[in-house]
Amino acid sequence: MATTELQMSPQLEQIQGEIRDLFRALSNGFQRLDKMKDSNRQSKQLEELTGKMRECKRLIKEFDREIKDEESKNPPEVNKQLNDEKQSMIKELNSYVAMRKTYMNTLGNKKIELFDMGAGVSEPTADENVKMASSMSNQELVDHGMKTMDETDQAIERSKKVVEQTIEVGTQTAGTLKGQTDQMGRIVNELDTIQFSIKKASQLVKEIGRQVATDKCIMLFLFLIVCGVIAIIVVKIVNPNNKDIRDIPGLAPPAPSRRLLYLRDPQ
């Protein structure tokens, strides 16, 4: 039904205009999607279209609330026209939802499935969905549209949870890797310190070895000197008249043997 035939409040006209703008954006988006060959670009395009459909759902609910608020002020004919306009928008939104499901099944991309809008086991195509919608009553269309949009919200919430869990796992992995990197750095520093300590200990052992060897040589010389002095003393005592051996400084020569003179008394 044309917009000019409806008697709407400014609020309803604004909401309807926003919904029609989103429908045009959805139509152009699906046309561009047909021309895309790269599956990654198609996934991003479907993600953007999903956001627009979610916004359409919110605006249709707001449109319905405004109709109910103004129902007592409008004549029955106007209320019927407004309800028909709402159902028409729900049908159009359902057709885009069905088109999106068809593209989802065609792509078979797991990344895109994160943004699934609550598809069942067996999903109808876009043509089948339009035929089913045409055979429904107004209330059934409204209920079906609301149910589809609720399923869409639930699927989006599940997708958000998956994304949050993925981000959390990535953060934990990054933290673990950083901790392991820091630990490896500390181990390398400790190994450098140990290697430096080993070098210093090796040098110290060499110096101690040289000092021990020097002390042994000194002790050997002192031992030889003491042995020589002892030998000289022994020889000097045994043969005090030997002139070939000099007197040892500090050692007195042996005392000469004393002779006792015996004096007889004269008679």
Coordinates of all heavy atoms in Angstrom, one line a residue, residues 187-233:
I187 N 65.6 -17.6 32.4 CA 66.5 -18.8 32.3 C 67.8 -18.5 31.6 O 68.9 -18.9 32.0 CB 65.8 -19.9 31.6 CG1 64.6 -20.4 32.6 CG2 66.7 -21.1 31.3 CD1 63.7 -21.5 31.9
V188 N 67.7 -17.7 30.5 CA 68.9 -17.3 29.7 C 69.8 -16.5 30.6 O 71.0 -16.6 30.6 CB 68.5 -16.6 28.4 CG1 69.7 -16.0 27.7 CG2 67.8 -17.5 27.5
N189 N 69.2 -15.5 31.3 CA 70.0 -14.7 32.2 C 70.7 -15.5 33.3 O 71.9 -15.3 33.6 CB 69.2 -13.6 32.8 CG 68.7 -12.6 31.8 OD1 69.3 -12.4 30.8 ND2 67.5 -12.0 32.1
E190 N 70.0 -16.5 33.8 CA 70.6 -17.3 34.9 C 71.7 -18.2 34.3 O 72.8 -18.4 34.9 CB 69.5 -18.2 35.5 CG 68.5 -17.5 36.3 CD 67.4 -18.4 36.9 OE1 67.5 -19.6 36.5 OE2 66.6 -17.9 37.6
L191 N 71.5 -18.7 33.0 CA 72.6 -19.5 32.4 C 73.8 -18.6 32.1 O 75.0 -19.1 32.3 CB 72.1 -20.0 31.1 CG 71.0 -21.2 31.2 CD1 70.5 -21.6 29.8 CD2 71.6 -22.4 31.9
D192 N 73.6 -17.4 31.7 CA 74.8 -16.5 31.5 C 75.5 -16.3 32.9 O 76.8 -16.2 32.9 CB 74.3 -15.1 31.0 CG 73.8 -15.3 29.5 OD1 74.2 -16.3 28.9 OD2 73.0 -14.4 29.1
T193 N 74.7 -16.1 33.9 CA 75.3 -15.9 35.3 C 76.1 -17.1 35.7 O 77.3 -17.0 36.2 CB 74.3 -15.5 36.3 OG1 73.5 -14.4 35.9 CG2 74.9 -15.2 37.6
I194 N 75.5 -18.3 35.5 CA 76.2 -19.5 35.8 C 77.5 -19.7 35.0 O 78.6 -20.1 35.5 CB 75.3 -20.7 35.6 CG1 74.1 -20.6 36.6 CG2 76.0 -22.0 35.8 CD1 73.0 -21.7 36.4
Q195 N 77.4 -19.4 33.7 CA 78.6 -19.5 32.9 C 79.7 -18.6 33.3 O 80.9 -19.0 33.4 CB 78.2 -19.3 31.4 CG 79.4 -19.5 30.4 CD 78.9 -19.3 29.0 OE1 77.8 -18.9 28.7 NE2 79.8 -19.6 28.1
F196 N 79.4 -17.3 33.7 CA 80.3 -16.4 34.2 C 80.9 -16.9 35.5 O 82.2 -16.8 35.7 CB 79.7 -15.0 34.4 CG 80.6 -14.0 34.9 CD1 81.5 -13.4 34.1 CD2 80.5 -13.6 36.3 CE1 82.4 -12.4 34.6 CE2 81.3 -12.6 36.8 CZ 82.3 -12.0 36.0
S197 N 80.1 -17.5 36.4 CA 80.6 -18.0 37.7 C 81.5 -19.1 37.4 O 82.6 -19.3 38.1 CB 79.4 -18.4 38.5 OG 78.5 -17.3 38.8
I198 N 81.2 -20.0 36.5 CA 82.1 -21.1 36.2 C 83.5 -20.6 35.7 O 84.6 -21.1 36.1 CB 81.5 -22.0 35.1 CG1 80.3 -22.8 35.8 CG2 82.5 -23.1 34.6 CD1 79.5 -23.6 34.8
K199 N 83.5 -19.6 34.8 CA 84.8 -19.0 34.4 C 85.6 -18.5 35.5 O 86.8 -18.7 35.6 CB 84.5 -18.0 33.3 CG 84.0 -18.5 32.0 CD 83.8 -17.4 31.0 CE 83.3 -17.9 29.7 NZ 83.1 -16.8 28.7
K200 N 84.9 -17.7 36.4 CA 85.6 -17.1 37.6 C 86.2 -18.2 38.5 O 87.3 -18.1 39.0 CB 84.7 -16.2 38.3 CG 84.2 -15.0 37.5 CD 85.4 -14.1 37.2 CE 85.9 -13.4 38.5 NZ 86.9 -12.4 38.1
A201 N 85.3 -19.3 38.6 CA 85.8 -20.4 39.5 C 87.0 -21.1 38.9 O 87.9 -21.5 39.6 CB 84.6 -21.4 39.7
S202 N 87.0 -21.3 37.5 CA 88.1 -21.9 36.9 C 89.4 -21.1 37.1 O 90.5 -21.6 37.3 CB 87.8 -22.1 35.4 OG 86.7 -22.9 35.2
Q203 N 89.3 -19.8 36.9 CA 90.5 -18.9 37.1 C 90.9 -19.0 38.6 O 92.2 -19.0 38.8 CB 90.1 -17.5 36.8 CG 89.8 -17.2 35.3 CD 89.3 -15.8 35.0 OE1 89.2 -15.0 35.9 NE2 89.1 -15.5 33.7
L204 N 90.0 -19.0 39.5 CA 90.4 -19.1 40.9 C 91.1 -20.4 41.2 O 92.1 -20.5 41.9 CB 89.1 -18.9 41.8 CG 89.4 -18.9 43.3 CD1 90.3 -17.8 43.7 CD2 88.0 -18.8 44.0
V205 N 90.6 -21.5 40.6 CA 91.2 -22.8 40.8 C 92.7 -22.8 40.3 O 93.6 -23.3 40.9 CB 90.4 -23.9 40.2 CG1 91.1 -25.2 40.2 CG2 89.1 -24.1 41.0
K206 N 92.9 -22.2 39.1 CA 94.2 -22.1 38.5 C 95.1 -21.3 39.4 O 96.3 -21.7 39.7 CB 94.1 -21.5 37.1 CG 93.5 -22.4 36.1 CD 93.4 -21.7 34.8 CE 92.7 -22.6 33.7 NZ 92.6 -21.9 32.4
E207 N 94.6 -20.2 39.9 CA 95.5 -19.4 40.8 C 95.8 -20.1 42.1 O 97.0 -20.1 42.6 CB 94.8 -18.1 41.2 CG 94.6 -17.1 40.0 CD 93.8 -15.9 40.4 OE1 93.4 -15.8 41.6 OE2 93.6 -15.0 39.5
I208 N 94.8 -20.9 42.7 CA 95.1 -21.6 43.9 C 96.1 -22.7 43.6 O 97.0 -23.0 44.4 CB 93.8 -22.3 44.4 CG1 92.9 -21.1 44.9 CG2 94.1 -23.3 45.5 CD1 91.5 -21.6 45.3
G209 N 96.0 -23.4 42.4 CA 97.0 -24.4 42.0 C 98.4 -23.8 41.9 O 99.4 -24.5 42.4
R210 N 98.5 -22.6 41.3 CA 99.8 -22.0 41.2 C 100.4 -21.7 42.6 O 101.6 -21.9 42.9 CB 99.8 -20.7 40.3 CG 99.6 -21.0 38.9 CD 99.9 -19.8 38.0 NE 98.9 -18.7 38.3 CZ 97.8 -18.6 37.5 NH1 97.5 -19.4 36.5 NH2 97.0 -17.6 37.8
Q211 N 99.5 -21.2 43.5 CA 100.0 -20.9 44.8 C 100.4 -22.1 45.6 O 101.4 -22.1 46.3 CB 98.8 -20.1 45.6 CG 98.6 -18.7 45.1 CD 97.4 -18.1 45.8 OE1 96.8 -18.7 46.7 NE2 97.1 -16.9 45.4
V212 N 99.6 -23.2 45.4 CA 100.0 -24.4 46.1 C 101.3 -25.0 45.6 O 102.2 -25.4 46.4 CB 98.9 -25.5 45.9 CG1 99.3 -26.9 46.3 CG2 97.6 -25.1 46.6
A213 N 101.6 -24.9 44.2 CA 102.8 -25.3 43.7 C 104.0 -24.5 44.2 O 105.1 -25.0 44.6 CB 102.8 -25.2 42.2
T214 N 103.8 -23.1 44.3 CA 104.8 -22.3 44.9 C 105.1 -22.6 46.3 O 106.3 -22.7 46.8 CB 104.4 -20.8 44.7 OG1 104.1 -20.5 43.4 CG2 105.5 -19.9 45.2
D215 N 104.0 -22.8 47.1 CA 104.2 -23.2 48.5 C 105.0 -24.5 48.7 O 105.8 -24.6 49.6 CB 102.9 -23.3 49.2 CG 102.2 -21.9 49.3 OD1 102.9 -20.9 49.2 OD2 100.9 -21.9 49.5
K216 N 104.7 -25.4 47.8 CA 105.4 -26.7 47.9 C 106.9 -26.5 47.6 O 107.8 -27.1 48.2 CB 104.8 -27.7 46.9 CG 103.5 -28.2 47.3 CD 102.9 -29.3 46.3 CE 101.6 -29.8 46.8 NZ 101.0 -30.8 45.8
C217 N 107.2 -25.7 46.6 CA 108.6 -25.5 46.3 C 109.3 -24.8 47.4 O 110.5 -25.1 47.8 CB 108.7 -24.6 45.0 SG 108.2 -25.4 43.5
I218 N 108.6 -23.8 48.1 CA 109.3 -23.1 49.2 C 109.5 -24.1 50.4 O 110.5 -24.1 51.0 CB 108.4 -22.0 49.6 CG1 108.3 -20.9 48.6 CG2 108.8 -21.4 51.0 CD1 107.3 -19.8 48.8
M219 N 108.5 -25.0 50.6 CA 108.6 -26.0 51.7 C 109.8 -26.9 51.4 O 110.5 -27.3 52.3 CB 107.3 -26.7 51.9 CG 106.2 -25.9 52.4 SD 106.5 -25.2 54.1 CE 106.5 -26.7 55.0
L220 N 109.9 -27.3 50.1 CA 111.0 -28.2 49.8 C 112.4 -27.5 50.0 O 113.3 -28.2 50.6 CB 110.9 -28.6 48.3 CG 112.0 -29.5 47.7 CD1 112.0 -30.8 48.5 CD2 111.7 -29.8 46.2
F221 N 112.5 -26.3 49.6 CA 113.8 -25.5 49.9 C 114.0 -25.4 51.3 O 115.2 -25.6 51.8 CB 113.8 -24.2 49.2 CG 113.9 -24.2 47.7 CD1 113.0 -23.6 46.8 CD2 115.0 -24.9 47.1 CE1 113.2 -23.7 45.5 CE2 115.2 -24.9 45.7 CZ 114.3 -24.3 44.9
L222 N 113.0 -25.1 52.1 CA 113.2 -25.0 53.6 C 113.6 -26.3 54.2 O 114.5 -26.4 55.1 CB 111.9 -24.5 54.2 CG 111.5 -23.0 53.9 CD1 110.2 -22.7 54.6 CD2 112.6 -22.1 54.5
F223 N 113.0 -27.4 53.7 CA 113.4 -28.7 54.2 C 114.8 -29.0 53.9 O 115.5 -29.6 54.7 CB 112.4 -29.7 53.5 CG 112.7 -31.2 53.9 CD1 112.4 -31.6 55.2 CD2 113.4 -32.0 53.0 CE1 112.7 -32.9 55.6 CE2 113.7 -33.3 53.4 CZ 113.3 -33.8 54.7
L224 N 115.2 -28.7 52.6 CA 116.6 -28.9 52.3 C 117.6 -28.1 53.1 O 118.7 -28.6 53.6 CB 116.8 -28.6 50.8 CG 116.1 -29.6 49.8 CD1 116.3 -29.1 48.4 CD2 116.6 -31.0 49.9
I225 N 117.2 -26.9 53.4 CA 118.1 -26.0 54.2 C 118.2 -26.6 55.6 O 119.3 -26.7 56.2 CB 117.5 -24.6 54.2 CG1 117.7 -24.0 52.9 CG2 118.2 -23.7 55.3 CD1 117.0 -22.6 52.7
V226 N 117.0 -27.0 56.2 CA 117.0 -27.6 57.5 C 117.9 -28.8 57.6 O 118.7 -29.1 58.5 CB 115.6 -27.8 58.0 CG1 115.6 -28.6 59.3 CG2 114.9 -26.5 58.2
C227 N 117.7 -29.7 56.5 CA 118.5 -30.9 56.5 C 120.0 -30.6 56.4 O 120.9 -31.2 57.1 CB 118.1 -31.8 55.3 SG 116.5 -32.5 55.5
G228 N 120.4 -29.6 55.7 CA 121.8 -29.2 55.6 C 122.3 -28.7 56.9 O 123.5 -29.0 57.3
V229 N 121.5 -27.9 57.6 CA 122.0 -27.3 58.9 C 122.2 -28.5 59.8 O 123.1 -28.5 60.6 CB 121.0 -26.3 59.4 CG1 121.3 -25.9 60.8 CG2 121.0 -25.1 58.5
I230 N 121.2 -29.4 59.8 CA 121.3 -30.5 60.8 C 122.5 -31.4 60.5 O 123.3 -31.8 61.4 CB 120.0 -31.4 60.7 CG1 118.8 -30.6 61.2 CG2 120.2 -32.7 61.4 CD1 117.5 -31.3 61.1
A231 N 122.8 -31.5 59.2 CA 124.0 -32.3 58.8 C 125.3 -31.6 59.2 O 126.2 -32.3 59.7 CB 124.0 -32.5 57.3
I232 N 125.4 -30.3 59.1 CA 126.5 -29.6 59.5 C 126.7 -29.7 61.0 O 127.9 -29.9 61.5 CB 126.4 -28.1 59.1 CG1 126.5 -28.0 57.5 CG2 127.5 -27.3 59.7 CD1 126.2 -26.7 57.0
I233 N 125.6 -29.6 61.7 CA 125.7 -29.7 63.2 C 126.2 -31.0 63.6 O 127.1 -31.2 64.5 CB 124.3 -29.4 63.8 CG1 124.0 -27.9 63.6 CG2 124.3 -29.7 65.3 CD1 122.6 -27.5 64.0

